[in-house]
């Protein structure tokens, strides 16, 4: 017989709106997890218009929050270690989508969701879920990505008229949720025609 922790770790996405509502209410009674929209200050450049002809007067760039560092991740490595030692800052940042910005400089800040242990959990007899199981239930990963739009003007054309690997075309993708019970919160961008990975 599986123990309780193993059972929670294998929970799949919700099967119906009523089941989702019931499970959400149960977990709210337990009050284990709190969700906040928080500022984040570390970005990675995904794409810029530097290599696109005719865009010099209208510079534009796309950035992605670096969730492995920065404010939402708990600060620098030393700060994260210190917070872990004293039991503070338990939680995980959640990516809401890429950010478009006029100009080529990185944004000073952006917003991400952060899921962390509630400060004052109310008393209750709900089943509760571990963080990984809760996220897989209520914030599941996309099952695929659909191409919304692309522009190959910045990519390097190959001999067959396509774009060569490592080009700087822009492809905008919409995440596909596991069921109609979920809605994608943002879009994800790439510089080639391959579906996004690891986001």
């Amino acid at each position: 017989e599986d123990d309780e922790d193993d059972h929670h770790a294998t929970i799949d996405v919700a099967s119906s709106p009523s089941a989702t509502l019931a499970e959400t209410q149960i977990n709210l009674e337990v009050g284990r997890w709190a969700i906040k929209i928080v500022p984040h200050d570390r970005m990675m450049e995904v794409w810029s218009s530097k290599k696109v002809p005719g865009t010099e007067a209208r510079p534009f760039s796309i950035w992605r929050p670096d969730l492995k560092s920065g404010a939402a991740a708990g600060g620098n490595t030393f700060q994260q270690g210190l917070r872990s030692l004293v039991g503070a800052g338990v939680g995980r940042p959640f990516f809401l989508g890429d950010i478009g910005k006029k100009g080529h400089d990185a944004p000073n800040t952006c917003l991400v969701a952060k899921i962390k242990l509630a400060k004052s959990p109310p008393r209750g007899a709900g089943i509760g879920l571990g963080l990984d199981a809760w996220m897989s239930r209520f914030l599941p990963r996309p099952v695929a990505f659909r191409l919304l739009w692309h522009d190959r003007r910045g990519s390097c054309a190959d001999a067959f008229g396509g774009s060569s690997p490592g080009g700087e075309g822009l492809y905008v993708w919409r995440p596909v949720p596991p069921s109609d019970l979920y809605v994608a919160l943002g879009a994800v961008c790439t510089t080639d025609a391959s579906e996004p990975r690891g986001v």
Side-chain angles (χ1 to χ4, degrees), residues 63-83:
W63 300 81
R64 180 169 300 154
D66 179 2
L67 298 184
K68 294 180 181 177
S69 64
N76 60 36
T77 306
F78 175 76
Q79 290 170 330
Q80 291 176 23
L82 185 60
R83 290 169 70 84

Side-chain angles (χ1 to χ4, degrees), residues 27-28 31-37 90-92 113-120 131 134:
N27 285 285
L28 285 175
R32 291 189 64 182
W33 306 113
I35 302 177
K36 290 186 177 181
I37 302 298
V90 177
R92 188 171 306 159
K114 186 169 186 180
I115 298 92
K116 61 185 297 185
L117 197 62
K119 289 183 179 177
S120 303
L131 180 56
W134 189 93

Side-chain angles (χ1 to χ4, degrees), residues 20-30:
T20 302
L21 179 60
E23 290 179 2
T24 304
Q25 289 171 337
I26 287 172
N27 285 285
L28 285 175
E29 287 174 8
V30 178

Side-chain angles (χ1 to χ4, degrees), residues 46-47 51 154-157 163-171 190-192:
V46 175
W47 177 90
K51 296 184 180 180
S155 63
C156 305
S163 58
S164 64
E168 292 292 336
L170 175 61
Y171 297 78
T190 63
T191 55
D192 59 47

